[in-house]
Amino acid sequence: MSLVVTDTLADERVEFTADGDVTLYVCGLTVSDDPHLGHARLWFHADVLHRWLEHLGYDVRHVENVTDVNEKIAARVGERDEWTAERDVAETFSASTFGAMRGLNLLRAEVYPRVTEHVPEILDLVETLVEEGYAYESNGSVYFDVTSFDGYGTLSNQDVGDLEAQGEPDERTEKRHPADFALWKAGGVSETAARE
């Protein structure tokens, strides 16, 4: 039996084929709280796909990132005596997340890159996007300009004009287009917004 997937670019269902190994990238959690049932849904989807690809004979390199620095994590510093830095909060909820995943008997990813381990590469990429005209600085933050990329939204079948504004009201005034999104935040966000 084959694996049929939805090709969102072509907007059709196609049989999956690949020459050689398959890299399965899963956008992982921002570890600012305990995982919940919605997270398990993502993990189950990735697990079934991983297992099915192996069943078909592919060697699968499964990668799932961990966002361990974020305004929601920063907002929790000090809630417990042992949480004196973002790293402490992130470590607590990373352990909770991995425990929940193990409890569901999911196949483990081969690699769990953490954002804090790749900040120089992220900064280089953001600088390149600004230099190439795909991003811009505004009040110390950097935003991706959705209008700078003609194909933006094509993969997800969305029209840029129909995309809703993102972020807090103050942040929205910094943007050129309501759908532009932050690549790098200056000064974080308010504690209330982070908790929401």
Side-chain angles (χ1 to χ4, degrees):
M1 181 177 248
S2 63
L3 173 63
V4 176
V5 295
T6 300
D7 178 342
T8 57
L9 189 58
D11 196 24
E12 63 184 9
R13 309 256 308 147
V14 297
E15 183 176 337
F16 177 84
T17 59
D19 296 327
D21 300 344
V22 173
T23 298
L24 172 62
Y25 178 82
V26 178
C27 186
L29 299 185
T30 299
V31 287
S32 60
D33 211 335
D34 289 314
H36 54 69
L37 188 58
H39 300 135
R41 180 177 180 266
L42 164 72
W43 299 334
F44 274 115
H45 284 175
D47 187 72
V48 168
L49 185 56
H50 184 159
R51 290 175 193 267
W52 195 254
L53 288 165
E54 285 184 342
H55 171 76
L56 294 175
Y58 292 105
D59 286 325
V60 178
R61 183 165 196 261
H62 182 164
V63 178
E64 183 170 337
N65 74 294
V66 176
T67 301
D68 59 346
V69 60
N70 172 283
E71 60 269 11
K72 291 181 180 181
I73 295 169
R76 302 214 53 186
V77 171
E79 280 186 17
R80 297 184 189 172
D81 290 341
E82 67 270 22
W83 289 353
T84 60
E86 289 178 66
R87 146 185 91 255
D88 304 321
V89 176
E91 287 176 6
T92 298
F93 293 120
S94 291
S96 174
T97 296
F98 289 120
M101 293 170 87
R102 281 190 300 278
L104 295 170
N105 197 31
L106 302 171
L107 292 176
R108 297 188 71 156
E110 183 179 333
V111 183
Y112 291 98
R114 296 173 183 270
V115 169
T116 54
E117 297 169 347
H118 298 279
V119 171
E121 295 96 323
I122 292 168
L123 290 173
D124 286 345
L125 181 57
V126 169
E127 288 174 2
T128 299
L129 289 170
V130 170
E131 289 167 5
E132 298 292 324
Y134 293 103
Y136 57 93
E137 184 274 332
S138 180
N139 291 331
S141 294
V142 179
Y143 296 94
F144 183 83
D145 180 358
V146 297
T147 64
S148 68
F149 180 62
D150 289 336
Y152 188 82
T154 304
L155 189 60
S156 59
N157 292 310
Q158 294 181 326
D159 183 88
V160 170
D162 295 336
L163 297 176
E164 294 183 14
Q166 299 179 14
E168 297 181 66
D170 288 346
E171 178 184 310
R172 292 178 191 176
T173 62
E174 296 179 349
K175 298 178 181 184
R176 294 179 184 167
H177 186 280
D180 291 352
F181 56 89
L183 298 172
W184 192 265
K185 297 285 295 186
V189 297
S190 71
E191 187 172 327
T192 302
R195 291 195 189 289
E196 291 173 0

